[in-house]
Amino acid sequence: MFEVLVYVYENYWQGDACPELRQLGRKLTAAGFDAEEIQAALVWLEGLNTAAQVTQIGLPAKAPSGTAKSLSTPSASSGIQPQSAHSLRVYSIAEQTHLGAQSLGFVSFLETAGVLPPHMREIVIDRAMAAPGEPVTLDDLKIIVLMVYWSFGEEPDALVLDELCDDTEFRVAH
């Protein structure tokens, strides 16, 4: 499934260029992917699309430039409340087991670095829980993070992109 997701990301990195799921399935078949992998990837992508759309609807609108919008005062129309600086995400036993310590540590690293906001973190966790494998490998989690950025039409910072795409197996420690 992750090979299919990488192919989709590499070929449709501009989210608006990605065809509907049905047409995407035909293109993936033409590219030579296995039908089971394609089906698993399409189901996974449909869940990602749904989560991203629901989240974007619930996010507070960005204030026009020149006006200040208080993040501490939730609006009545906002479905998602901003996370307090003092809040703490507690992972369930199922999440800890399925994601593993290495993947959870990487999610924590991205959060601490300020590049994975809480609403995107929750989608990463949701999509990782929907992914096969236990625990989810770090490489697979990095693909999930890239796909979540892609679903929001955002490109990660260059250093984050390097961390997500870099093969750390051959790094030399200094």
Side-chain angles (χ1 to χ4, degrees):
M1 177 182 88
F2 286 101
E3 289 177 8
V4 175
L5 294 177
V6 168
Y7 178 87
V8 169
Y9 182 80
E10 287 176 348
N11 289 280
Y12 303 107
W13 61 272
Q14 294 176 322
D16 56 344
C18 188
E20 291 182 24
L21 292 180
R22 178 178 282 152
Q23 184 180 7
L24 178 61
R26 287 193 297 269
K27 288 185 178 227
L28 292 170
T29 300
F33 289 103
D34 180 58
E36 288 181 26
E37 286 185 19
I38 293 170
Q39 184 59 33
L42 292 178
V43 168
W44 191 91
L45 283 169
E46 185 174 21
L48 176 63
N49 290 340
T50 302
Q53 288 173 355
V54 168
T55 301
Q56 288 173 343
I57 290 169
L59 287 174
K62 292 182 181 178
S65 50
T67 62
K69 184 170 183 164
S70 172
L71 290 178
S72 61
T73 315
S75 67
S77 63
S78 172
I80 297 177
Q81 303 300 319
Q83 179 176 311
S84 166
H86 303 291
S87 64
L88 175 69
R89 172 59 156 93
V90 178
Y91 294 95
S92 71
I93 298 296
E95 289 171 333
Q96 292 175 36
T97 302
H98 190 74
L99 276 79
Q102 195 174 25
S103 292
L104 287 174
F106 188 71
V107 169
S108 178
F109 161 72
L110 292 175
E111 279 187 278
T112 305
V115 297
L116 189 65
H119 66 279
M120 289 176 78
R121 175 203 59 218
E122 290 306 311
I123 295 175
V124 167
I125 299 302
D126 174 68
R127 294 292 78 209
M129 292 298 290
E134 196 164 295
V136 172
T137 67
L138 183 57
D139 288 338
D140 291 348
L141 181 77
K142 289 178 178 183
I143 294 167
I144 292 169
V145 172
L146 275 174
M147 295 304 290
V148 169
Y149 269 102
W150 177 71
S151 70
F152 278 88
E154 296 180 22
E155 188 172 325
D157 178 81
L159 293 174
V160 174
L161 191 59
D162 185 49
E163 185 65 36
L164 292 173
C165 297
D166 188 28
D167 185 5
T168 59
E169 183 178 333
F170 299 108
R171 277 191 190 168
V172 178
H174 296 286

